[in-house]
Amino acid sequence: MAITIYDVAREANVSMATVSRVLNGNPNVKPETRRKVKDVIERLNYKPNAVARGLASKKTKTVGVIIPDISDLYYSAVLRGLEDIAEMYQYQIIITNTDNDAKKEKNAFETLLSNQVDGIIFLGGTDDQKIIDNIQRSNTPVVVCGYSKETSINRVNANYRDAIARIVEGFIERGNKKIAYVQSGYHSVLETLLADKICEVLEEHNISKDNMFEFSANTYEEGIELFNKIHEIKADAVIAISDEVAGGILHGTLDMNVKVPEELEIISCSNTRIAYMMRPKLSTIAVPLYDIGAVGMRLLTKIMNNEEVDEKVTMLPLKINYAKTTRV
Amino acid sequence: MAITIYDVAREANVSMATVSRVLNGNPNVKPETRRKVKDVIERLNYKPNAVARGLASKKTKTVGVIIPDISDLYYSAVLRGLEDIAEMYQYQIIITNTDNDAKKEKNAFETLLSNQVDGIIFLGGTDDQKIIDNIQRSNTPVVVCGYSKETSINRVNANYRDAIARIVEGFIERGNKKIAYVQSGYHSVLETLLADKICEVLEEHNISKDNMFEFSANTYEEGIELFNKIHEIKADAVIAISDEVAGGILHGTLDMNVKVPEELEIISCSNTRIAYMMRPKLSTIAVPLYDIGAVGMRLLTKIMNNEEVDEKVTMLPLKINYAKTTRV
DNA sequence: TTGTAGGCGTTATCAT
DNA sequence: ATGATAACGCCTACAA
């Protein structure tokens, strides 16, 4: 049997209430008593039972993180940011993978609630209406790190659309006409919006939106294969959501002797470590992955703590890393 | 106020004990009653409070994972394996980053215990004696995914030493004499053992162990820099623990016009996705990262469930992926 | 400053 | 098959 607050109380000749007080830093304890209790705690190596605490106080000091795939560098980098801030505020993190499956997301959400987490963070955004409904109905604070069509949800994200616009304008200035846009296989709302943005910019410059070609690929290997198709349509620029896919496309060019960036410009939107491990180095939108996580978790701590929050939506600014796969 | 088992009991005209029985699949409930209760549960959208459950039953259906760095592809791949099996057995996962800091590891361990996790998994091994003591003292089952010098601890790992021996023998057969061995900066016991193994094989072949040169590097960039030193000592083969570092070294050779694998063979020991995203593709020990996690979690579920466990130590076999950075 | 007692939402042990 | 009732370990008024 593990040792409890009662044991400490008995050994220290005080009531359990007093032990609880010193445990929780309540100032209304005589310094002498505090010392005595602390000594006993140390001597018995007493550790409070967080579960009992959670039940009594209705605060578990635990936050749930719902993540599409933890082994994806993009998400694990964000998670690192989350984690560091969570540690700072003494929150434990419960994670759940969902593989972009709405059903699993819903399940994860409910499981976390039943675990009485103090808050929940969604990585990668949510489009599913059922989940959005759940979020809005729940009394548990939720922060989304990523895109959501629902504006009433707290979230932090980066301003992809602006960045994409700048990229496309650059392409046009450099005389590129045919743009291949490579989404993930999941076709999230954000990806669709970015496609629209590309078309929009093209048309602003009096270029038909038929010059944008949509593809999808999820892995490095699929990227390599995909290059053949991109080559066929004679695209002169590629915007790929994922670094890994962009890397695959890049290596596809090597096999076909297509010169990058002279004959084909490539840029990706993820900014994982993979981007600079390519030769030539991938140009990429400099998404502040770690910061998205850190800011998201900080926001959540504020909400959990009933602090004022200025804005529902935090948009982190985005720079573009022009490396070696673009002519600039 | 959230709805509780009492509310369900009242609405269904039964006692809370009966509701609890239905919830836990206790067969001693009249089918009719069960139906009635289930209906109410559904109607009220009742979800059991896992924290209260944990307090009463002393089982939280939660396992803690202590991990050096979640944003490291190596660990996140293992974690994916852990996660999938955990989900299968309905366990929640609490993660903590430690940055290879023994103090943080100890803290994490204690925090997890105070959270009453049913089991704990260490990723990356443990050398610190204090932590080993804690593990042995604790009543909570622990599984280490990685190396530990302590043989009484449950763990699953891969047989690196055999693989390393085969690699070095291959090098020797191909006439390589000078081997650069690149560790991480943490100098774990495993890394030291591998160094010893390399020396051992060299000496078995009557080659002085002075032909092994030790270096350390942690990142891709450090790998690039490190290549200069490797070049200076005229090594003809490199064994790097980390893929990323090996990738850096590989790219270092490009800058100096050193031909791989003709003039320098390179092999790494991590088997992350990065290995095959390099050009030329990195030869690597095919560590079954996902499996290490999956097997580790499966082992833990057995222990938590008081099932028989045949062996304390599970050694997964290791193949070697000879890709393009070795002459075989 | 300290102690008493009543929850928190379950599970689990007895009775019935 | 079902219902009381006592834990589980802690927090928190309220009282002293």
Side-chain angles (χ1 to χ4, degrees), chain A residues 38 41 92 98 105-106 111 116 142 149 160 204 274 313 327:
Chain A
K38 282 201 165 170
I41 288 179
Q92 298 297 112
T98 64
E105 279 180 17
K106 192 158 161 295
T111 306
Q116 316 300 118
V142 173
K149 59 187 172 188
Y160 285 98
E204 276 172 14
I274 286 171
V313 180
R327 303 204 308 273

Side-chain angles (χ1 to χ4, degrees), chain A residues 134-149:
Chain A
N134 279 351
I135 292 177
Q136 292 178 318
R137 250 186 268 122
S138 100
N139 302 311
T140 307
V142 173
V143 167
V144 172
C145 289
Y147 178 82
S148 172
K149 59 187 172 188

Side-chain angles (χ1 to χ4, degrees), chain A residues 32-265:
Chain A
E32 194 191 316
T33 316
R34 184 184 304 277
R35 259 261 58 77
K36 197 171 53 176
V37 172
K38 282 201 165 170
D39 283 351
V40 175
I41 288 179
E42 186 131 355
R43 181 156 57 79
L44 301 187
N45 191 28
Y46 164 76
K47 308 282 178 203
N49 179 325
V51 173
R53 214 174 226 188
L55 183 59
S57 69
K58 296 182 165 289
K59 295 264 168 240
T60 55
K61 278 296 208 173
T62 288
V63 313
V65 176
I66 296 175
I67 193 171
D69 180 8
I70 186 61
S71 62
D72 182 325
L73 265 179
Y74 183 95
Y75 294 117
S76 65
V78 177
L79 183 58
R80 198 49 162 93
L82 289 175
E83 245 271 333
D84 284 356
I85 304 301
E87 195 205 347
M88 198 174 293
Y89 288 88
Q90 314 243 58
Y91 281 94
Q92 298 297 112
I93 285 192
I94 301 185
I95 51 161
T96 332
N97 279 111
T98 64
D99 298 307
N100 279 297
D101 175 347
K103 207 174 201 169
K104 278 194 177 183
E105 279 180 17
K106 192 158 161 295
N107 263 332
F109 190 73
E110 287 174 354
T111 306
L112 289 174
L113 288 184
S114 109
N115 275 84
Q116 316 300 118
V117 294
D118 296 339
I120 292 179
I121 292 202
F122 266 94
L123 292 198
T126 18
D127 297 328
D128 190 87
Q129 190 56 46
K130 276 192 195 159
I131 292 168
I132 292 177
D133 291 346
N134 279 351
I135 292 177
Q136 292 178 318
R137 250 186 268 122
S138 100
N139 302 311
T140 307
V142 173
V143 167
V144 172
C145 289
Y147 178 82
S148 172
K149 59 187 172 188
E150 177 53 51
T151 53
S152 71
I153 294 179
N154 294 290
R155 67 180 204 273
V156 11
N157 201 7
N159 201 333
Y160 285 98
R161 269 189 283 189
D162 279 9
I164 286 280
R166 277 180 282 152
I167 287 170
V168 175
E169 275 161 8
F171 283 159
I172 295 173
E173 278 171 27
R174 273 167 264 134
N176 296 331
K177 290 273 168 63
K178 280 200 178 172
I179 297 179
Y181 172 55
V182 186
Q183 315 187 31
S184 76
Y186 301 112
H187 300 289
S188 67
V189 174
L190 174 60
E191 288 178 340
T192 309
L193 287 177
L194 295 185
D196 294 347
K197 190 70 186 180
I198 294 173
C199 294
E200 192 185 314
V201 176
L202 287 177
E203 297 195 319
E204 276 172 14
H205 291 260
N206 299 316
I207 300 173
S208 159
K209 66 180 184 182
D210 294 341
N211 286 286
M212 184 199 73
F213 296 81
E214 293 190 59
F215 299 96
S216 53
N218 265 313
T219 63
Y220 171 80
E221 287 93 337
E222 286 174 19
I224 295 184
E225 290 234 350
L226 180 59
F227 175 69
N228 295 317
K229 289 193 202 159
I230 292 177
H231 193 48
E232 268 173 28
I233 64 159
K234 297 191 167 64
D236 35 31
V238 172
I239 297 176
I241 296 293
S242 142
D243 278 359
E244 260 182 64
V245 171
I249 294 171
L250 175 59
H251 283 168
T253 65
L254 297 180
D255 298 334
M256 307 276 278
N257 263 321
V258 170
K259 286 212 169 64
V260 173
E262 293 81 0
E263 301 170 38
L264 181 72
E265 295 198 65

Side-chain angles (χ1 to χ4, degrees), chain B residues 80-205:
Chain B
R80 198 50 162 89
L82 288 175
E83 245 271 334
D84 284 356
I85 303 302
E87 195 204 348
M88 198 173 293
Y89 288 88
Q90 314 243 58
Y91 281 93
Q92 297 298 111
I93 285 192
I94 301 185
I95 51 160
T96 333
N97 279 110
T98 64
D99 299 307
N100 279 297
D101 175 346
K103 208 174 200 167
K104 278 194 177 182
E105 280 181 17
K106 192 160 162 295
N107 264 333
F109 190 74
E110 287 174 355
T111 307
L112 289 174
L113 288 184
S114 108
N115 275 83
Q116 316 300 119
V117 295
D118 295 340
I120 293 178
I121 292 201
F122 267 95
L123 292 198
T126 20
D127 297 328
D128 190 87
Q129 190 56 46
K130 276 190 195 161
I131 292 168
I132 292 177
D133 291 346
N134 278 351
I135 292 177
Q136 292 179 318
R137 248 186 268 121
S138 101
N139 302 312
T140 307
V142 173
V143 167
V144 172
C145 289
Y147 178 82
S148 171
K149 60 187 172 190
E150 176 55 52
T151 54
S152 71
I153 294 179
N154 294 290
R155 67 181 203 275
V156 12
N157 201 7
N159 202 335
Y160 285 97
R161 268 189 283 189
D162 279 8
I164 286 280
R166 275 181 284 153
I167 287 170
V168 175
E169 274 160 10
F171 282 160
I172 295 173
E173 277 171 26
R174 273 166 265 133
N176 297 331
K177 291 275 169 61
K178 279 199 180 175
I179 298 178
Y181 172 56
V182 186
Q183 315 189 29
S184 76
Y186 300 112
H187 300 289
S188 68
V189 174
L190 175 61
E191 289 179 338
T192 309
L193 287 176
L194 295 185
D196 294 347
K197 190 69 186 182
I198 295 173
C199 294
E200 191 186 312
V201 176
L202 287 177
E203 296 195 321
E204 276 173 13
H205 290 261

Side-chain angles (χ1 to χ4, degrees), chain A residues 285-303:
Chain A
I285 297 182
V287 192
L289 302 176
Y290 181 93
D291 294 350
I292 289 180
V295 171
M297 183 58 81
R298 180 67 188 103
L299 175 58
L300 186 62
T301 62
K302 280 187 185 166
I303 304 175

